[in-house]
Amino acid sequence: MIEPLAGSTALPTARLIVDGGHGFEPCGNPGYSQKKSEVLGLEHEEIDPMEHSSDPGLGTALDLAYLRYRNGNLVKAEPSASDRVKEHSNPYEADKTQNIESFLRMLEDQASSHEQIYEAYYQIPSPGVYYLTNCSRRLLLHRLSVIENRSKQAMLRYLRLVDDMKEASIPLNLAEWNTAIAYAGRCFAQVDALQVESALRIWKEMEHDAGIQSGRVTFNILFDIAAKAGKYVLAEMILKEMNERRLHYSRFSHVGLIYFHGLKGDGNEVRKAYRDLVEAGQIVDTVVMNCVIASLIRAGELPAAEQVYERMKQLFHAKTGGLVPDKDWRYTRDLGRILDRASRRLRRQPERLQRLQSKQCLAPDTRTFAIFIDYHIHITGELRRITSLLAEMQDFKIPIQGRMYIKIFRGFARHGGVKYTSWTTQRLEAVWTSLLAALDTQAEGIALLKWMVVWVVRAFARCCGRARALQIWEEIRDRWKLVGDEEKGAVEHMLRDILHASQTHEGSENT
């Protein structure tokens, strides 16, 4: 059995992560799942409470009604926020009832950002969770768990809430512990040993101190963190522990194994892991195929990855005639959960399972193209192949979003500025003109954010020199009106280093 790291857990969780160095299945939004369940004919399936938390569409105004009247029986309701303030011995905190009510309105509003919710929450007396109903606490933790890309700021927000729950002696449920582990181990682009240690520390606290047994989701998250950190022995120990506890592999476990063998550079094991997924009755969709493609590329088998891509295109055109369904990251996440549940429940009904498989879209998506473009930017530098892939994206009616522009500018910063390169100044200017046009038309998914600005200026400094890079920066500053002073200051600091390096490079060439 794996023993989580020994050591004190007296320090707050958020501080442990910061002082320490800085799943696949986070909590989801069942509102999306319900609609896709109906589409797939699964509207009567039960929902695993460990995979889906409270519907964020339920406002706190309904929380108390639910507590008072449930299953036909009258239930004693929790004290209201106002009552909790009055109970408190500190009269100063009673004056903050208005802040609590303002926070609850913010929490109910689906348009509220994580930053707005968090800022409103910290206007409440500490620990703020004490003054909330149970459903409101769960909704707060859920709202802050639903995020496309984890970051250090998002991790700190969530783990400070976890610390407040501990301070108020309010237990976390398994899904909330899982989210805390995922934030601790996967909030940075590169996972290192310190993040692994932080995730294992929270796991230890969950099992040993809180007395909550891990589920499949927990082990999927731990396995993913260990694999991405290059801790392959630890990852295999986590799988062994999962097997000893007789926890069956989910869709996410199988996809994780494909990814794991790609990281290890073993193409044959990638293929075997894919066959195991199919033989386990799991549904294959674009997410699975993208993982296979990325894993084969990591294993050094680009031709095999391109064969998979060509096969995806053939199957898609044969089935749909070339229209790619519109989907976002929430859709992809929630659909994966539904397919996992459907595979388990239809395992003994192969005909229904096959019908469900036949409905799945295998079209290349933004992620598919990003995998190949990343490879050519970092490894081959083949601009012609990248241009071809971008043209195919247009054929599939997939818009080029901000992240793709960042990749292209990174390519110019990496391969431009030398003789006989295909990454020329003229082509860079054309890409810049295209980006400006997208910004002017307010194209979805495109904005002048931190890393976009950094890579644009870096590309021009590399290909055109310091003078043109400064002109570009001035043009960006005129457009950069909604960015906070802190972020703008951080970017300006990085740009000073970039422009200084460019000036030094130009000086050495002139001598």
Side-chain angles (χ1 to χ4, degrees):
M1 177 175 178
I2 300 174
E3 282 294 327
L5 291 182
S8 170
T9 57
L11 286 173
T13 306
R15 185 180 166 194
L16 279 171
I17 305 304
V18 176
D19 291 349
H22 306 95
F24 280 116
E25 299 170 90
C27 299
N29 181 345
Y32 286 87
S33 299
Q34 182 181 5
K35 294 178 182 178
K36 287 188 282 294
S37 295
E38 293 169 356
V39 171
L40 296 173
L42 301 171
E43 60 271 26
H44 301 301
E45 298 288 348
E46 296 178 3
I47 295 178
D48 182 351
M50 290 299 98
E51 294 182 3
H52 293 268
S53 55
S54 301
D55 188 341
L58 295 177
T60 51
L62 298 179
D63 293 346
L64 291 180
Y66 174 78
L67 290 167
R68 292 191 183 104
Y69 194 78
R70 183 175 59 210
N71 297 331
N73 298 315
L74 197 63
V75 181
K76 183 178 179 181
E78 294 187 53
S80 67
S82 300
D83 291 337
R84 287 180 178 274
V85 173
K86 291 174 184 176
E87 285 177 1
H88 207 279
S89 59
N90 187 346
Y92 171 74
E93 293 181 357
D95 297 333
K96 294 191 175 181
T97 306
Q98 185 176 358
N99 289 338
I100 298 172
E101 293 173 349
S102 175
F103 161 74
L104 294 176
R105 287 193 296 270
M106 184 77 70
L107 184 63
E108 290 178 353
D109 185 358
Q110 289 299 295
S112 301
S113 67
H114 287 193
E115 293 80 2
Q116 291 171 324
I117 293 172
Y118 185 76
E119 184 177 348
Y121 170 76
Y122 269 96
Q123 300 304 312
I124 302 174
S126 180
V129 291
Y130 173 79
Y131 302 98
L132 306 178
T133 67
N134 184 56
C135 289
S136 296
R137 294 182 202 117
R138 304 307 171 192
L139 177 57
L140 171 60
L141 287 161
H142 172 77
R143 287 290 302 271
L144 295 189
S145 75
V146 180
I147 189 168
E148 182 176 7
N149 298 301
R150 294 185 183 89
S151 64
K152 178 181 177 181
Q153 291 72 25
M155 177 268 291
L156 290 173
R157 282 193 294 264
Y158 192 88
L159 294 185
R160 283 169 183 161
L161 280 179
V162 170
D163 290 335
D164 282 0
M165 294 284 282
K166 295 178 192 175
E167 184 180 345
S169 299
I170 301 171
L172 298 164
N173 63 34
L174 178 56
E176 290 157 357
W177 280 111
N178 287 341
T179 304
I181 293 170
Y183 266 124
R186 300 192 302 205
C187 65
F188 296 98
Q190 299 295 325
V191 181
D192 58 24
L194 290 172
Q195 290 175 266
V196 173
E197 181 179 350
S198 298
L200 290 176
R201 192 185 299 275
I202 295 176
W203 178 47
K204 174 199 171 182
E205 185 179 357
M206 180 186 83
E207 291 216 332
H208 289 198
D209 300 343
I212 295 180
Q213 286 295 303
S214 303
R216 287 178 306 176
V217 177
T218 315
F219 283 104
N220 286 339
I221 293 168
L222 290 171
F223 176 77
D224 184 53
I225 292 169
K228 288 179 177 176
K231 306 290 185 181
Y232 301 141
V233 174
L234 175 61
E236 289 169 351
M237 290 173 65
I238 290 169
L239 288 179
K240 182 179 178 182
E241 179 71 14
M242 188 176 179
N243 291 328
E244 288 179 355
R245 297 192 188 194
R246 297 183 178 180
L247 295 172
H248 298 295
Y249 286 1
S250 66
R251 165 190 175 88
F252 306 96
S253 308
H254 284 288
V255 172
L257 280 168
I258 295 171
Y259 183 82
F260 174 64
H261 293 299
L263 289 173
K264 293 178 69 177
D266 193 331
N268 289 331
E269 286 297 318
V270 169
R271 295 179 180 86
K272 181 180 181 300
Y274 173 74
R275 288 195 299 270
D276 290 344
L277 178 146
V278 174
E279 291 170 2
Q282 294 293 337
I283 303 297
V284 177
D285 66 350
T286 300
V287 171
V288 174
M289 301 312 295
N290 283 345
C291 185
V292 172
I293 288 172
S295 300
L296 288 172
I297 288 177
R298 286 192 181 93
E301 298 192 24
L302 177 64
E306 290 183 331
Q307 286 179 5
V308 174
Y309 167 64
E310 292 298 328
R311 181 61 176 159
M312 287 173 70
K313 291 196 297 184
Q314 292 170 8
L315 290 172
F316 174 69
H317 285 299
K319 184 181 296 185
T320 66
L323 294 176
V324 179
D326 185 20
K327 57 185 180 180
D328 61 9
W329 63 274
R330 292 176 185 265
Y331 179 100
T332 301
R333 178 201 61 189
D334 295 335
L335 181 60
R337 291 174 177 168
I338 292 174
L339 295 178
D340 180 48
R341 292 200 306 274
S343 297
R344 294 199 305 269
R345 289 163 184 160
L346 300 180
R347 195 161 292 157
R348 297 182 181 178
Q349 303 178 54
E351 292 182 359
R352 287 188 65 191
L353 192 62
Q354 184 56 42
R355 285 201 301 272
L356 185 57
Q357 175 64 74
S358 66
K359 294 179 181 179
Q360 299 314 302
C361 174
L362 292 176
D365 61 7
T366 301
R367 173 64 182 153
T368 316
F369 290 102
I371 292 167
F372 284 108
I373 288 173
D374 270 337
Y375 174 81
H376 289 295
I377 284 174
H378 291 96
I379 305 301
T380 69
E382 292 183 9
L383 182 58
R384 181 176 297 179
R385 180 56 180 150
I386 293 172
T387 303
S388 174
L389 288 165
L390 293 173
E392 290 184 27
M393 283 184 69
Q394 292 183 325
D395 293 341
F396 279 97
K397 304 293 189 288
I398 298 175
I400 298 177
Q401 296 184 333
R403 291 180 187 173
M404 199 63 72
Y405 274 105
I406 292 175
K407 294 179 190 299
I408 295 168
F409 284 116
R410 286 185 70 172
F412 279 100
R414 188 180 184 93
H415 303 288
V418 296
K419 290 183 179 180
Y420 312 117
T421 180
S422 56
W423 300 80
T424 62
T425 300
Q426 293 78 7
R427 287 173 174 150
L428 174 59
E429 293 284 359
V431 175
W432 172 241
T433 301
S434 173
L435 175 61
L436 292 179
L439 290 168
D440 290 339
T441 58
Q442 297 182 337
E444 186 177 354
I446 297 179
L448 282 174
L449 300 179
K450 174 181 175 180
W451 291 110
M452 173 77 80
V453 173
V454 168
W455 285 107
V456 166
V457 176
R458 184 170 286 176
F460 274 96
R462 171 79 175 182
C463 298
C464 309
R466 185 173 184 273
R468 179 58 178 148
L470 282 170
Q471 292 176 354
I472 295 295
W473 169 233
E474 290 300 324
E475 190 169 349
I476 289 172
R477 288 181 64 178
D478 292 339
R479 293 171 172 266
W480 223 20
K481 301 185 185 301
L482 300 179
V483 179
D485 292 337
E486 183 177 349
E487 181 174 348
K488 188 176 288 187
V491 171
E492 288 177 342
H493 179 75
M494 284 189 285
L495 294 182
R496 278 196 295 270
D497 292 340
I498 293 169
L499 295 173
H500 176 72
S502 174
Q503 186 177 29
T504 304
H505 177 71
E506 289 176 4
S508 63
E509 283 190 340
N510 291 333
T511 57

